[in-house]
Amino acid sequence: VDFSIKFNIENKMTKKLFLYLISFIFSQYAIAQRNVILIIVDDLGSDYCGFYENHLDTCKLLNVRRLLGKGVRFTQAWSNPLCSPTRAGILTGRYSFRHGVGDAVGGAGSAELDTSELTIPRLLQQYKPNGIAKANIGKWHLNSPSPISNYKIPNALGYDQYEGNFLGVLTSFFDWKKVTNGVVSTNTNYATTETVNNAVTWVKSIPSSKPFFLWLAFNAPHTPYHLPPQHLHSYNTLSGTASDIAANPKSYFKAMVEALDTEIGRLFDSLQVNQRLDSTDIIFIGDNGDDPMVAQNTGGAKGSVNQEGISIPFIIAGPSVVKPNRVSDALVNTQDLFATILEIFEYNNWQSQISSAKPVDSKSLMPILKNTATTVRPWIFSEVFRNPANANDGKTIRNLVYKLIDYDNGTQKFFDLINDPQENTNLLLKNLSATELSNYNYLCNEMTKLTGTGGFCLQTDVKNTSSTSKEIFPNPFSSHLQLKSKIANEKFELRNYCGQIIYYGNNIESQNFSALTSGIYFLK
């Protein structure tokens, strides 16, 4: 703001009016300027959040609840089921099969984030060179600590400031290695407290006229479930001994979440005191579902593409939200934060910087925040792939009602999430209705178009417009199949829903299939 005022203050009323005018001008300037804080908590599913409809036992999140009245709470948000893939997806806006990070970085053979990726801070630097301050504070978990030069990768990827735990897991929340712009030191502060200390200090260092982007990634409530300092939580009877933690992991998990919420409140208070709260959009998410040690559902947890592994709390609050205190059922991927954050900073033509060789999957949520649209995408997608492979590895896609899981071992599951949110009934084990079959084929084909693979999804089209198309009757069938327009000696392949070949040959019409179990079959 560049202006000058020259006049004589003749009386108290004029002086009061002048002070009010100045205060109003600067408050409007503060609101017009946008800052963004992305808060990522580690291993917190929506089922522990009392403000979510699917909650069971809950954690105390009084300060996080302060965001609800100022924002939009998304009820159908998906992450990846592990830490590193979710972070890589947000930073690049790309699904895991594109950037290669499908597992938690650090294990033997696990892929790391390629430093050639185009990231949020790199694009912000291109958009406004040195015009937006950019920091990443807390857990990194996107690259190996070896060689030691890797400690400088966060800065190389566009951040002005990086400080925090470079690795995925702290051996102790009270004695850990901290990296600050490539330099390693030992820290004995409680990790959650240190993370907020660093965030508060960094924000205070930014001139009030300069917008900022802060990626704030906590280690809590990830294991180990170490007892936080007593003033941060209300669990007064916990001893903190290893035996007590092993016997009561859930209580320690909840204490860590409450301590996290307490420190988040300290960050909010600091923003308010420094007159940055009203100009800051705050995004709060979990990076994946609950750890199996504290999971509340038997159907899945962190590491699985079941709902409990990828359904997360997801709130966006602040001045960018029109008509706040809303709940949205829109389908949302964590990758969508890439485009959303860029467009909060009014970088609306970022797509011009995207290479066709490295497509971005992110969809901006700004239309929902601005209350001009109720949805931005027809489906969401998640996946996990590990080295060595795991039985839970696979891909999943859903629309508003149905969800398809395609495991890498060739099996599939299909659920009606409206009537079966716990995924207890695999619809592929029965005869699908016309609606179910239509949705199955839609999701299967969308997954195939997206990834180029899809188990046996390529064989599931009910319509074939080629010159060799066949009409199969009766359909459903109980014993024999008949085909119109059959060519002599033409071979056919019949598979069950698990992808196993039931029949292969050119005499399919003479085969008696009455012994087959009820279900869906695929003819090629």
Side-chain angles (χ1 to χ4, degrees):
V1 178
D2 184 13
F3 64 92
S4 59
I5 299 176
K6 183 178 181 181
F7 65 98
N8 294 321
I9 300 176
E10 297 179 350
N11 55 53
K12 291 183 178 179
M13 184 64 69
T14 305
K15 183 176 182 181
K16 287 181 178 178
L17 182 62
F18 168 71
L19 293 175
Y20 173 81
L21 177 62
I22 294 299
S23 175
F24 176 78
I25 290 173
F26 277 100
S27 68
Q28 293 303 301
Y29 169 67
I31 292 173
Q33 176 187 310
R34 288 292 186 267
N35 312 301
V36 177
I37 298 177
L38 169 60
I39 299 174
I40 304 176
V41 297
D42 206 345
D43 293 359
L44 179 67
S46 57
D47 58 303
Y48 270 105
C49 301
F51 44 84
Y52 268 89
E53 292 74 9
N54 70 323
H55 77 80
L56 297 172
D57 191 7
T58 61
C59 298
K60 295 180 181 179
L61 289 164
L62 299 179
N63 288 296
V64 172
R65 284 177 180 269
R66 290 165 61 181
L67 300 176
L68 298 176
K70 298 164 55 172
V72 178
R73 175 173 65 87
F74 292 87
T75 65
Q76 307 297 332
W78 271 8
S79 66
N80 287 79
L82 290 171
C83 310
S84 302
T86 295
R87 286 163 168 73
I90 298 171
L91 196 58
T92 66
R94 286 153 52 81
Y95 291 132
S96 295
F97 72 89
R98 299 196 197 278
H99 56 65
V101 182
D103 192 3
V105 170
S110 62
E112 301 179 30
L113 184 66
D114 192 325
T115 55
S116 68
E117 289 284 349
L118 195 57
T119 64
I120 295 172
R122 276 180 168 169
L123 279 166
L124 290 177
Q125 177 64 17
Q126 290 182 17
Y127 173 51
K128 290 187 176 180
N130 300 318
I132 300 172
K134 304 169 292 295
N136 188 307
I137 294 175
K139 175 175 174 175
W140 179 249
H141 204 194
L142 288 171
N143 298 92
S144 165
S146 179
I148 196 170
S149 59
N150 280 3
Y151 287 143
K152 298 181 179 179
I153 287 178
N155 302 91
L157 287 171
Y159 289 108
D160 309 317
Q161 177 80 1
Y162 171 73
E163 52 186 325
N165 169 45
F166 193 83
L167 305 178
V169 181
L170 296 174
T171 55
S172 168
F173 271 76
F174 296 92
D175 186 1
W176 51 283
K177 298 296 182 184
K178 178 181 174 182
V179 176
T180 304
N181 296 329
V183 179
V184 185
S185 61
T186 298
N187 195 285
T188 56
N189 286 340
Y190 181 62
T192 302
T193 297
E194 180 69 7
T195 298
V196 170
N197 287 347
N198 299 156
V200 168
T201 299
W202 181 78
V203 170
K204 286 182 178 179
S205 73
I206 306 303
S208 59
S209 60
K210 189 172 187 176
F212 66 82
F213 168 53
L214 171 59
W215 175 301
L216 187 61
F218 290 94
N219 283 87
H222 194 292
T223 56
Y225 295 143
H226 289 168
L227 183 64
Q230 189 60 60
H231 68 282
L232 297 178
H233 64 92
S234 58
Y235 290 81
N236 300 322
T237 61
L238 300 178
S239 66
T241 63
S243 59
D244 194 41
I245 294 171
N248 304 287
K250 193 174 177 181
S251 296
Y252 286 86
F253 168 84
K254 292 168 67 175
M256 291 177 72
V257 173
E258 185 179 354
L260 170 69
D261 181 78
T262 301
E263 292 292 31
I264 287 175
R266 183 162 64 91
L267 171 65
F268 292 171
D269 292 344
S270 176
L271 291 170
Q272 190 162 21
V273 168
N274 290 281
Q275 299 181 4
R276 305 297 289 259
L277 187 62
D278 290 339
S279 62
T280 302
D281 287 304
I282 298 173
I283 304 168
F284 176 88
I285 68 167
D287 66 349
N288 47 246
D290 310 322
D291 188 278
M293 289 178 63
V294 296
Q296 303 191 80
N297 292 290
T298 58
K302 170 185 176 179
S304 163
V305 291
N306 291 85
Q307 288 295 92
E308 290 80 7
I310 55 181
S311 295
I312 57 166
F314 192 117
I315 304 168
I316 301 179
S320 291
V321 178
V322 174
K323 293 185 177 179
N325 197 26
R326 285 188 283 127
V327 176
S328 171
D329 294 330
L331 299 173
V332 176
N333 268 134
T334 45
Q335 285 83 358
D336 295 332
L337 290 174
F338 175 90
T340 304
I341 291 169
L342 293 174
E343 293 185 17
I344 287 176
F345 286 107
E346 299 185 346
Y347 191 5
N348 297 316
N349 66 334
W350 58 267
Q351 294 93 336
S352 63
Q353 302 299 315
I354 305 304
S355 166
S356 59
K358 287 191 173 184
V360 166
D361 303 291
S362 182
K363 305 292 183 184
S364 173
L365 302 177
M366 288 301 289
I368 297 175
L369 302 186
K370 295 298 184 185
N371 206 27
T372 60
T374 58
T375 187
V376 296
R377 51 164 67 244
W379 48 258
I380 49 179
F381 172 82
S382 186
E383 64 182 321
V384 60
F385 48 89
R386 286 163 274 212
N387 185 12
N390 184 285
N392 287 321
D393 288 354
K395 304 172 180 62
T396 185
I397 187 171
R398 69 161 292 187
N399 57 21
L400 288 171
V401 177
Y402 294 96
K403 174 182 176 181
L404 173 64
I405 301 176
D406 183 32
Y407 293 103
D408 291 350
N409 61 15
T411 61
Q412 289 191 342
K413 292 181 179 180
F414 185 53
F415 300 104
D416 177 345
L417 293 180
I418 300 300
N419 295 307
D420 181 25
Q422 298 298 321
E423 301 172 298
N424 292 318
T425 303
N426 180 6
L427 297 176
L428 294 179
L429 297 180
K430 71 176 190 67
N431 288 322
L432 297 183
S433 68
T435 298
E436 290 166 346
L437 182 59
S438 175
N439 280 274
Y440 171 83
N441 280 305
Y442 169 74
L443 292 174
C444 224
N445 290 325
E446 288 298 305
M447 186 189 294
T448 299
K449 286 190 292 185
L450 174 68
T451 66
T453 61
F456 50 91
C457 292
L458 292 169
Q459 305 167 24
T460 63
D461 282 335
V462 293
K463 294 182 179 180
N464 187 336
T465 58
S466 70
S467 60
T468 60
S469 63
K470 301 290 184 296
E471 182 180 340
I472 306 168
F473 64 96
N475 191 11
F477 69 98
S478 59
S479 60
H480 290 78
L481 286 171
Q482 301 294 318
L483 298 103
K484 290 183 179 179
S485 306
K486 187 172 182 294
I487 301 172
N489 296 320
E490 190 171 23
K491 287 184 170 61
F492 292 88
E493 180 181 279
L494 184 71
R495 290 178 179 250
N496 65 12
Y497 84 97
C498 290
Q500 298 166 321
I501 296 176
I502 303 301
Y503 171 82
Y504 179 78
N506 55 13
N507 293 315
I508 192 168
E509 291 180 301
S510 65
Q511 304 300 309
N512 187 333
F513 296 116
S514 59
L516 294 180
T517 58
S518 297
I520 186 169
Y521 293 83
F522 309 106
L523 185 64
K524 179 179 180 182

